[in-house]
Amino acid sequence: MRLLDRLTRRGAAVVDPLVADLRAALAPERVRMDGAERALMAKDASVFGGGVAGPTCFPTSTAEVQAIMRVAARHDSPIVPRGAGTGLAGGAIPLGAPVVVSLQKMNRILEIDEANRIAWVEPGLINLDLSRHLHPHGWHFAPDPSSQSVCTLGGNVANNSGGPHCLAYGVTDAHIVALEVVLPDGEAVMLGGLDAEPAGLDLRGAFVGGEGTLGITTRIAVRLTRNPPAVRTLLLSFSSVRAAAQTVSDIIAAGIVPAALEVMDQRITVAVENFVSAGYPTDAAAVLLAEIEGLEAGVDIDAARIDEIGRANGATDVRRAGSDAERELLWKGRKTAFGAIAQLAPDYYLHDTVVPRSALADVLEEVYEIADRHDVVVMNVFHAGDGNLHPLLLFDAREEGTLERVHAAGAEILRASLAAGGVLSGEHGIGVEKQRFMGELFSDADLEHQNRLRRAFDPLCRANPGKVLPEGHSCADIQQLRAVPTGVWG
Amino acid sequence: MTASLAVTDPVLHDFAEDVGAADPVAVAGGRTRWAVGGALADDARILAAPTGIVAYAAPEMTVQVRAGTTVAELDAALASHGQRTALPDRGGTVGGAIAVGENAVETLGRGRLRDAVLQVRYVSAEGELVTGGGPVVKNVTGYNLPKLMTGSLGTLGLIAEVILRTNPIPAARQWLVASEVDPMAVADAVHAPGAVLFDGTSTWVLLEGHAPDLAAETAALGSVGSFAEADGPPTLPPHRWSLTPAAAAAFPDGRFVASIGVGTVWADTPQPARPADTGAAAIAARMKHNFDPTGRLNPGRQAGA
């Protein structure tokens, strides 16, 4: 019987000293250790098996995050920060029974500073809530992950998240001006600054995308993006995925940088259309959603060029959204694509790789072949303008052996992307998902240098151990060996 | 297994061999910003980085270029395909521009330099070639070494080669200038200017985009003041200040040019030293120790000094 169960059964008489210290540092009700909470915190939105969560803390201020870090350090316990748990690479899965720090109670917009074109926000703020708040003032936050109605800004910072509109505006990193972070030793540090070129090393740039292994973000200065005066949204239908992919390449090659270029294949289009009735053509092999933002005349010029390029590649239909409502409906279809999958299979594995745009069509064909070979149903909905593929592998976890086939197909897809000159992840991060492939992209020296960066923030490897870097290139192994035998929660 | 990003270019391996693993060493480019970060130690051996454009994939909007290549040569190659990067041309090299990390005058239009560096290859203090980042425009694979290297003044590694994001040169561009107008009102009157510059009296604005939009924006500026066409930006004073956009717009006095909406100010006098956040300074010190424990890379220099 595990120690936790023994302690629980014996009632309140015995409380783990780590929990007691955390409760003293916060408030008893904001340190939870019941079974339901631990089960909830053991997983994220990925397909990877749950870890083992230690006590979960719900801080409400920087000072409280510092207090948690200090208690954890005193007890030699690892910590893992957590936002909404929508991560798809297993980055928030607790390994080594860490103290889980949920930032969901730190969700305020602290200040809108239009003179400096930034907003200070807390990490638990939901991405879409920020843009909804900013919109009437003429601004928005440009990175828009598909999960933006639930994911948090702190999670976006951790994963350097992307989204459809990152084609023109860049991923999260380009929109983070300054960060207050709490290091694993409990110190609060300001990284970056509101000035044009903050002095010293770009530690803010190094921190973003650190997947919670460098510390915990407590305040974020995000760059405000002007709302565009004009938007045109086009839906192009094609009789082959290759033609859609080629159109994307040709648009960029023509010197047009749309705000978004998204492709959905027929399988996903049918599922989405059943789900939201957005008017997507269900008979097309692929659809391309193209959006151009800017000034009135320019968006019309670019829209006409895209129409022309699409037709030159055999587009069977080109539709323009006639109203904001129609435009929103098309985007609703794109952004709820993953939800629509539920009609088809109980489980899916959403992959995330990037290839050069010119290799899109070839790699997509390979993706379909790989899936066929492993007897797995694959659908594709992806940020084509960035070359960011998102193959969706459908499965039913209850069927024996299915998940293994899915993982085998997933590994082959990764290798096909690397062979085409691509990388492992465009926006989801590495987490526990892609660690073992890091050595196929980077040399030992490359990984050693990534580890040097990591250890400048966290010399003792206490923050989110066991993530990003593969075994042998991080202190994760040591951390877990130490945490499991001594940890009350293991 | 062979690493996908393994460095096969013999020119880079030769450079790594020249750097070696023992003595104090630095790289000189065009020496256009040689004083940034403090004086180089006397005993440092000075090398030049390898030169040449390795691969330019215009349809991918990426260019792979060795660090010793001049920005002017890169600009010319890109311009022949209607493209440009965020790097400022100060008469120096690509590696120098990235090591210093200063943005172009036209930051609003060209983007920030730090966001343009997709992949960096550098020689470590141990004389090894290291690759950070990746060759594609979107990439969050692993820790962000390109960001760390940008602006690090060669104190963590000596930049050998980079892959940069390129962007299309807009169809039409026009500088305009007006006196006695509120620069903030100018910035608000146009949607996405390439630059808005203010010297205390006059305001310059760079309009970029499709020709009909430029005409409409020029007309919109008519409600703010009386603008005339200009050949380019004003001459910039020598010293560079980094301020918040709000502070830059209210720069006190003397000869200056402020970048409105960005915060850079060029002035006759140097910017007083800025106090560093002590916590960030401690991380930076650990970073230096982890990357260059013996302090042989660009000795005497410090990013932000």
Side-chain angles (χ1 to χ4, degrees), chain A residues 190-417:
Chain A
M190 188 63 75
L191 307 178
L194 306 195
D195 56 320
E197 289 164 359
L201 298 175
D202 185 6
L203 298 175
R204 148 201 59 165
F207 188 93
V208 176
E211 305 191 29
T213 65
L214 305 177
I216 296 181
T217 309
T218 46
R219 281 195 301 151
I220 310 168
V222 298
R223 200 182 299 287
L224 306 181
T225 302
R226 282 264 189 97
N227 295 340
V231 182
R232 299 286 182 275
T233 307
L234 280 70
L235 188 70
L236 298 89
S237 307
F238 293 93
S239 54
S240 76
V241 176
R242 177 170 281 277
Q246 190 59 47
T247 301
V248 168
S249 259
D250 291 351
I251 290 169
I252 301 284
I256 302 167
V257 182
L261 281 175
E262 302 284 302
V263 168
M264 302 199 294
D265 71 9
Q266 185 168 22
R267 287 172 180 164
I268 195 92
T269 306
V270 170
V272 162
E273 188 54 25
N274 282 342
F275 194 54
V276 295
S277 302
Y280 278 103
T282 52
D283 56 344
V287 296
L288 168 62
L289 189 62
E291 186 154 283
I292 314 111
E293 294 183 351
L295 296 162
E296 280 293 340
V299 294
D300 280 332
I301 292 169
D302 286 345
R305 283 285 287 139
I306 290 172
D307 188 323
E308 200 178 300
I309 293 167
R311 289 184 199 277
N313 278 300
T316 50
D317 185 44
V318 180
R319 195 178 117 196
R320 290 194 195 198
S323 64
D324 280 350
E326 193 180 352
R327 186 182 152 259
E328 277 165 25
L329 199 55
L330 288 175
W331 275 110
K332 188 179 173 196
R334 166 61 185 87
K335 293 209 170 182
T336 54
F338 307 132
I341 302 298
Q343 309 162 61
L344 304 164
D347 304 290
Y348 66 82
Y349 181 1
L350 177 58
H351 231 318
D352 168 40
T353 73
V354 187
V355 298
R357 280 180 282 246
S358 56
L360 269 177
D362 288 342
V363 175
L364 277 168
E365 269 174 20
E366 256 188 276
V367 166
Y368 288 112
E369 282 166 22
I370 290 166
D372 282 352
R373 212 161 47 236
H374 291 275
D375 194 20
V376 172
V377 174
V378 67
M379 301 183 164
N380 279 291
V381 46
F382 56 98
H383 310 307
D386 287 319
N388 189 183
L389 294 175
H390 284 316
L392 272 154
L393 304 167
L394 272 54
F395 65 100
D396 183 344
R398 292 165 303 188
E399 276 177 36
E400 205 170 318
T402 313
L403 189 56
E404 287 73 16
R405 289 209 312 278
V406 164
H407 280 302
E412 279 193 42
I413 289 170
L414 280 182
R415 293 196 170 107
S417 297

Side-chain angles (χ1 to χ4, degrees), chain A residues 3-78:
Chain A
L3 184 52
L4 169 69
D5 299 325
R6 291 207 302 274
L7 291 175
T8 310
R9 278 158 203 239
R10 279 156 58 183
V14 182
V15 178
D16 179 78
L18 170 62
V19 175
D21 285 357
L22 288 169
R23 287 183 168 162
L26 292 182
E29 70 277 11
R30 287 194 283 112
V31 180
R32 299 188 56 173
M33 54 175 287
D34 55 279
E37 194 69 47
R38 294 182 67 218
L40 190 65
M41 296 297 159
K43 269 187 67 60
D44 62 7
S46 70
V47 296
F48 298 96
V52 178
T56 302
C57 301
F58 296 88
T60 57
S61 67
T62 303
E64 289 187 352
V65 174
Q66 289 181 276
I68 294 165
M69 284 289 209
R70 289 191 177 120
V71 170
R74 208 158 60 233
H75 289 267
D76 202 16
S77 169

